[in-house]
Amino acid sequence: MQKSELVQYNRAGQRIVSPDYLLFEAPRTKHFMTGSEAVKEAVKRASVDASVSYPITPQSEAAHLIGELWVEGYVGVYFRGESEFGVMSEIAGCALAGARCITTTSGPGTLRAMENFPMWAGTRIPVQLVLMARGVNSPLSIQPDNLEVSFLLDTGCMIWYAENAQDLFDMILAGFVVAEQPDVHVPVITVVDGFFVSHTREAVMLPPDDIALPPYNPYRAPMPVIDAEVPPGRFLRDPFVMKSNYISYATHASWQWEVRAAIERSRPYAKHYLRGLIEEFGDPEADIVFVTCGTAAAQAKEACRILEDEEGIKTKVVKLKTIRPFPIQELREAVKNARYIFVPEFNVVGWLEREVRRYLYKHSDAEIIGSPRVAGGMTMPPEVIVKEVLKFVGKEVKHVI
């Protein structure tokens, strides 16, 4: 007699399935939705225990929609914090108690909460933050701009970057799975460009909503849940910073190295659940390469098409799906034939160009061009990217910008 498989359900009555089945094998149907709605659909299938929110444009709608899931019974605990700093502190408390947690923020909210992100990493909680990037500069702007990502690079969190609503949906689900691996167990920040993705509608392929990820098991965590007598809880109760001795210094240093080592250990998991740390588009042998992420990758792909169809110039786009861990070997392999590398960005400082230069130093002879850059809510039409390439290769610019 064949042994039947045990069927398990979560608190919402959804059938528990494996991450691989949910992400790769379950049948999908096409839906038309915004990025914020894609967040809701991902959380609906993620067996989330707790979410804390605070309104700030453009992530307010996503936070509101997660609240609707709480009303519907898909999220265990949901409440509004008193500030962005309060939200990130309160969500940490939920995670330290052994809950699967998600929250959202944007721009100034990120900056106001900044102290919490290294604390998340240091306490090794697998919280997920959906960051809908927006301007943080003065004069005030609520428009798309990803300068804030540069401030998060060294917080000890994994950082993934979604190009579109489909990426965002899949990355949220994969983010929980990877962050909660016992040999990883650090926060994951899933970034998407505000407004360009959060508020525009596009086709998203969704699995059925009657299946969900397995619930988080805090007893698989590398640290005890909310134990004030052992690390990392002991460090919070009786901080080593108060002790001026060699043990204190060594403890701090070694723990910071361990957090960053955990990010490196996430590579094989992220590679599996994201189907690679990078995505390539265009001519594999092209010597003009765009290295980019997020919405800029979508625009670079269209520029790639224009250059080939109208100018006969073959190019390639290398989209980075993860920024932390940075896909070092994948990038080096992808640009091995490059003579020119363009890095289009939605910020004025060129933080991605700096990362590309850092990891290609002495590994590529290509000339790296940190252009085009737009910020403060400006769009990046593909013609702007085309113009930069044509100027650089000495061809006539025929496109009207």
PDB file of all heavy atoms in Angstrom, residues 183-197:
ATOM      1  N   ASP A 183      22.753  28.948   8.137  1.00  0.00           N
ATOM      2  CA  ASP A 183      24.110  29.449   7.942  1.00  0.00           C
ATOM      3  C   ASP A 183      24.140  30.839   7.298  1.00  0.00           C
ATOM      4  O   ASP A 183      25.202  31.359   6.978  1.00  0.00           O
ATOM      5  CB  ASP A 183      24.947  28.465   7.113  1.00  0.00           C
ATOM      6  CG  ASP A 183      24.320  28.126   5.780  1.00  0.00           C
ATOM      7  OD1 ASP A 183      23.107  28.337   5.618  1.00  0.00           O
ATOM      8  OD2 ASP A 183      25.050  27.642   4.889  1.00  0.00           O
ATOM      9  N   VAL A 184      22.965  31.438   7.101  1.00  0.00           N
ATOM     10  CA  VAL A 184      22.873  32.824   6.618  1.00  0.00           C
ATOM     11  C   VAL A 184      22.291  33.670   7.747  1.00  0.00           C
ATOM     12  O   VAL A 184      22.984  34.350   8.476  1.00  0.00           O
ATOM     13  CB  VAL A 184      22.018  32.915   5.338  1.00  0.00           C
ATOM     14  CG1 VAL A 184      21.924  34.374   4.865  1.00  0.00           C
ATOM     15  CG2 VAL A 184      22.610  32.027   4.235  1.00  0.00           C
ATOM     16  N   HIS A 185      20.978  33.667   7.875  1.00  0.00           N
ATOM     17  CA  HIS A 185      20.269  34.285   9.007  1.00  0.00           C
ATOM     18  C   HIS A 185      20.677  35.738   9.251  1.00  0.00           C
ATOM     19  O   HIS A 185      21.062  36.134  10.355  1.00  0.00           O
ATOM     20  CB  HIS A 185      20.455  33.452  10.271  1.00  0.00           C
ATOM     21  CG  HIS A 185      19.161  33.259  11.021  1.00  0.00           C
ATOM     22  ND1 HIS A 185      18.747  34.091  12.034  1.00  0.00           N
ATOM     23  CD2 HIS A 185      18.162  32.346  10.859  1.00  0.00           C
ATOM     24  CE1 HIS A 185      17.570  33.691  12.480  1.00  0.00           C
ATOM     25  NE2 HIS A 185      17.188  32.635  11.779  1.00  0.00           N
ATOM     26  N   VAL A 186      20.596  36.523   8.193  1.00  0.00           N
ATOM     27  CA  VAL A 186      20.767  37.975   8.278  1.00  0.00           C
ATOM     28  C   VAL A 186      19.596  38.626   7.546  1.00  0.00           C
ATOM     29  O   VAL A 186      18.891  37.974   6.778  1.00  0.00           O
ATOM     30  CB  VAL A 186      22.103  38.439   7.656  1.00  0.00           C
ATOM     31  CG1 VAL A 186      23.283  38.009   8.514  1.00  0.00           C
ATOM     32  CG2 VAL A 186      22.253  37.954   6.220  1.00  0.00           C
ATOM     33  N   PRO A 187      19.363  39.923   7.751  1.00  0.00           N
ATOM     34  CA  PRO A 187      18.237  40.590   7.088  1.00  0.00           C
ATOM     35  C   PRO A 187      18.450  40.668   5.580  1.00  0.00           C
ATOM     36  O   PRO A 187      19.576  40.646   5.083  1.00  0.00           O
ATOM     37  CB  PRO A 187      18.246  41.989   7.712  1.00  0.00           C
ATOM     38  CG  PRO A 187      19.117  41.898   8.917  1.00  0.00           C
ATOM     39  CD  PRO A 187      20.097  40.819   8.652  1.00  0.00           C
ATOM     40  N   VAL A 188      17.343  40.797   4.858  1.00  0.00           N
ATOM     41  CA  VAL A 188      17.409  41.024   3.413  1.00  0.00           C
ATOM     42  C   VAL A 188      16.600  42.275   3.088  1.00  0.00           C
ATOM     43  O   VAL A 188      15.468  42.435   3.538  1.00  0.00           O
ATOM     44  CB  VAL A 188      16.900  39.807   2.612  1.00  0.00           C
ATOM     45  CG1 VAL A 188      15.469  39.435   2.984  1.00  0.00           C
ATOM     46  CG2 VAL A 188      17.028  40.060   1.112  1.00  0.00           C
ATOM     47  N   ILE A 189      17.219  43.165   2.335  1.00  0.00           N
ATOM     48  CA  ILE A 189      16.552  44.373   1.852  1.00  0.00           C
ATOM     49  C   ILE A 189      16.267  44.174   0.371  1.00  0.00           C
ATOM     50  O   ILE A 189      17.186  44.028  -0.435  1.00  0.00           O
ATOM     51  CB  ILE A 189      17.427  45.627   2.071  1.00  0.00           C
ATOM     52  CG1 ILE A 189      17.713  45.823   3.566  1.00  0.00           C
ATOM     53  CG2 ILE A 189      16.750  46.859   1.481  1.00  0.00           C
ATOM     54  CD1 ILE A 189      18.685  46.951   3.867  1.00  0.00           C
ATOM     55  N   THR A 190      14.992  44.130   0.015  1.00  0.00           N
ATOM     56  CA  THR A 190      14.582  43.954  -1.370  1.00  0.00           C
ATOM     57  C   THR A 190      14.200  45.325  -1.912  1.00  0.00           C
ATOM     58  O   THR A 190      13.218  45.919  -1.476  1.00  0.00           O
ATOM     59  CB  THR A 190      13.404  42.974  -1.477  1.00  0.00           C
ATOM     60  OG1 THR A 190      13.766  41.738  -0.854  1.00  0.00           O
ATOM     61  CG2 THR A 190      13.043  42.726  -2.925  1.00  0.00           C
ATOM     62  N   VAL A 191      15.006  45.825  -2.850  1.00  0.00           N
ATOM     63  CA  VAL A 191      14.858  47.198  -3.339  1.00  0.00           C
ATOM     64  C   VAL A 191      14.076  47.200  -4.646  1.00  0.00           C
ATOM     65  O   VAL A 191      14.257  46.326  -5.503  1.00  0.00           O
ATOM     66  CB  VAL A 191      16.233  47.854  -3.573  1.00  0.00           C
ATOM     67  CG1 VAL A 191      16.073  49.327  -3.961  1.00  0.00           C
ATOM     68  CG2 VAL A 191      17.109  47.729  -2.329  1.00  0.00           C
ATOM     69  N   VAL A 192      13.252  48.204  -4.808  1.00  0.00           N
ATOM     70  CA  VAL A 192      12.580  48.450  -6.081  1.00  0.00           C
ATOM     71  C   VAL A 192      12.486  49.963  -6.236  1.00  0.00           C
ATOM     72  O   VAL A 192      12.425  50.705  -5.252  1.00  0.00           O
ATOM     73  CB  VAL A 192      11.186  47.787  -6.102  1.00  0.00           C
ATOM     74  CG1 VAL A 192      10.232  48.465  -5.134  1.00  0.00           C
ATOM     75  CG2 VAL A 192      10.608  47.745  -7.503  1.00  0.00           C
ATOM     76  N   ASP A 193      12.512  50.435  -7.475  1.00  0.00           N
ATOM     77  CA  ASP A 193      12.432  51.879  -7.708  1.00  0.00           C
ATOM     78  C   ASP A 193      11.017  52.371  -7.486  1.00  0.00           C
ATOM     79  O   ASP A 193      10.062  51.886  -8.120  1.00  0.00           O
ATOM     80  CB  ASP A 193      12.898  52.209  -9.133  1.00  0.00           C
ATOM     81  CG  ASP A 193      14.381  51.917  -9.318  1.00  0.00           C
ATOM     82  OD1 ASP A 193      15.159  52.233  -8.402  1.00  0.00           O
ATOM     83  OD2 ASP A 193      14.759  51.371 -10.376  1.00  0.00           O
ATOM     84  N   GLY A 194      10.873  53.336  -6.578  1.00  0.00           N
ATOM     85  CA  GLY A 194       9.568  53.885  -6.264  1.00  0.00           C
ATOM     86  C   GLY A 194       8.898  54.499  -7.482  1.00  0.00           C
ATOM     87  O   GLY A 194       9.570  55.015  -8.382  1.00  0.00           O
ATOM     88  N   PHE A 195       7.587  54.458  -7.513  1.00  0.00           N
ATOM     89  CA  PHE A 195       6.738  54.993  -8.574  1.00  0.00           C
ATOM     90  C   PHE A 195       6.926  54.249  -9.894  1.00  0.00           C
ATOM     91  O   PHE A 195       5.961  53.753 -10.465  1.00  0.00           O
ATOM     92  CB  PHE A 195       6.954  56.505  -8.777  1.00  0.00           C
ATOM     93  CG  PHE A 195       6.457  57.321  -7.636  1.00  0.00           C
ATOM     94  CD1 PHE A 195       7.339  57.918  -6.753  1.00  0.00           C
ATOM     95  CD2 PHE A 195       5.091  57.501  -7.421  1.00  0.00           C
ATOM     96  CE1 PHE A 195       6.879  58.663  -5.681  1.00  0.00           C
ATOM     97  CE2 PHE A 195       4.626  58.240  -6.355  1.00  0.00           C
ATOM     98  CZ  PHE A 195       5.520  58.829  -5.486  1.00  0.00           C
ATOM     99  N   PHE A 196       8.162  54.169 -10.400  1.00  0.00           N
ATOM    100  CA  PHE A 196       8.386  53.480 -11.666  1.00  0.00           C
ATOM    101  C   PHE A 196       7.855  52.049 -11.604  1.00  0.00           C
ATOM    102  O   PHE A 196       7.360  51.515 -12.591  1.00  0.00           O
ATOM    103  CB  PHE A 196       9.873  53.438 -12.017  1.00  0.00           C
ATOM    104  CG  PHE A 196      10.469  54.772 -12.367  1.00  0.00           C
ATOM    105  CD1 PHE A 196      11.794  55.046 -12.094  1.00  0.00           C
ATOM    106  CD2 PHE A 196       9.704  55.756 -12.979  1.00  0.00           C
ATOM    107  CE1 PHE A 196      12.364  56.275 -12.420  1.00  0.00           C
ATOM    108  CE2 PHE A 196      10.259  56.992 -13.306  1.00  0.00           C
ATOM    109  CZ  PHE A 196      11.590  57.252 -13.019  1.00  0.00           C
ATOM    110  N   VAL A 197       7.978  51.414 -10.452  1.00  0.00           N
ATOM    111  CA  VAL A 197       7.493  50.046 -10.279  1.00  0.00           C
ATOM    112  C   VAL A 197       6.343  49.998  -9.274  1.00  0.00           C
ATOM    113  O   VAL A 197       5.347  49.311  -9.490  1.00  0.00           O
ATOM    114  CB  VAL A 197       8.625  49.099  -9.840  1.00  0.00           C
ATOM    115  CG1 VAL A 197       8.084  47.697  -9.577  1.00  0.00           C
ATOM    116  CG2 VAL A 197       9.729  49.057 -10.891  1.00  0.00           C
TER     117      VAL A 197
END
